[in-house]
Amino acid sequence: DSGVTQTPKHLITATGQRVTLRCSPRSGDLSVYWYQQSLDQGLQFLIQYYNGEERAKGNILERFSAQQFPDLHSELNLSSLELGDSALYFCASSVDPAGGQETQYFGPGTRLLVL
Amino acid sequence: AQSVTQLGSHVSVSEGALVLLRCNYSSSVPPYLFWYVQYPNQGLQLLLKYTSAATLVKGINGFEAEFKKSETSFHLTKPSAHMSDAAEYFCAVNQAGTALIFGKGTTLSVSS
């Protein structure tokens, strides 16, 4: 158990809908990352927050947005969903990302299926 | 830009045999490198990481990896495979303290 929790574990929805994925980082970790894992794209970085502020953006679509709240939990919002958004979405956390050697601890993921 | 390449999307070994999973990196500066393992229907778990303290890095479950700058490689090895090692393995490099950039992964199968 990494200490990172994600809810829900599974999500089935229809095209055009909007969903929210939730992540609670490990106790003491200030940085949260979101990754998408799909068969064709592999593991891709979406976005990072550090202590409530956006730190870095990756291949995140404009239909997707995220935020980190004062209690440090984070939410990833996916809207106008398309079939291609079906994937496993991981949240990871680390204490302080500065330098790059810190370990990122991954949650169990949310499996999203868009029908 | 930093990147990693994992050679071989699928590796099959017999129980007790040597495991060798290959990873080459591309980086203009000394990188921080990681190996993660993903068991079916689970998240990613860190096996080991290279942070320039030592070129031979020992990780969990008997795995180790050697950083070779001259070959730009960070291959993962285990002397004797166990059935429980069957999983998908990812090599990753950290990009400037933000995102992990992952390779495409190598699926390890272990037969008895």
Side-chain angles (χ1 to χ4, degrees):
Chain A
D1 185 354
S2 67
V4 179
T5 61
Q6 290 187 248
T7 57
K9 197 167 185 177
H10 300 278
L11 202 47
I12 302 175
T13 188
T15 54
Q17 295 299 304
R18 173 189 168 94
V19 297
T20 297
L21 282 53
R22 182 187 169 104
C23 167
S24 292
R26 292 189 324 151
S27 177
D29 284 359
L30 299 178
S31 199
V32 169
Y33 312 77
W34 287 96
Y35 293 87
Q36 179 194 59
Q37 184 178 33
S38 62
L39 283 175
D40 53 344
Q41 298 291 330
L43 267 162
Q44 287 202 307
F45 167 69
L46 295 178
I47 196 164
Q48 177 201 4
Y49 279 81
Y50 176 72
N51 205 20
E53 300 290 326
E54 183 182 303
R55 173 68 72 91
K57 259 185 175 179
N59 298 323
I60 189 166
L61 299 172
E62 285 192 12
R63 301 182 285 110
F64 296 1
S65 65
Q67 55 184 324
Q68 186 178 28
F69 295 87
D71 67 352
L72 300 177
H73 91 272
S74 178
E75 293 181 355
L76 179 67
N77 300 296
L78 314 177
S79 62
S80 302
L81 285 167
E82 302 175 358
L83 296 177
D85 298 327
S86 296
L88 194 49
Y89 291 84
F90 285 112
C91 169
S93 73
S94 68
V95 175
D96 181 347
Q101 61 182 299
E102 289 73 22
T103 298
Q104 292 184 22
Y105 295 88
F106 283 75
T110 293
R111 187 172 294 279
L112 173 67
L113 180 59
V114 182
L115 299 176
Chain B
Q2 296 177 333
S3 65
V4 292
T5 302
Q6 291 184 243
L7 300 174
S9 59
H10 200 145
V11 171
S12 297
V13 300
S14 300
E15 196 170 21
L18 171 72
V19 175
L20 171 60
L21 304 182
R22 300 177 187 273
C23 173
N24 288 87
Y25 68 90
S26 170
S27 174
S28 58
V29 297
Y32 297 118
L33 293 161
F34 303 77
W35 275 101
Y36 281 85
V37 61
Q38 184 178 25
Y39 297 102
N41 300 313
Q42 293 188 28
L44 282 78
Q45 180 183 8
L46 180 71
L47 279 175
L48 49 81
K49 65 180 180 181
Y50 168 75
T51 59
S52 75
T55 57
L56 183 62
V57 182
K58 294 189 183 299
I60 62 171
N61 302 338
F63 284 94
E64 63 182 38
E66 186 172 7
F67 175 76
K68 291 187 177 180
K69 187 177 179 180
S70 60
E71 299 177 7
T72 61
S73 68
F74 189 57
H75 301 332
L76 182 71
T77 61
K78 182 173 180 177
S80 177
H82 192 271
M83 296 292 286
S84 61
D85 294 326
E88 189 158 18
Y89 292 79
F90 293 92
C91 182
V93 62
N94 189 287
Q95 184 176 357
T98 56
L100 284 171
I101 307 301
F102 287 92
K104 293 190 181 299
T106 297
T107 300
L108 175 66
S109 300
V110 183
S111 58
S112 56

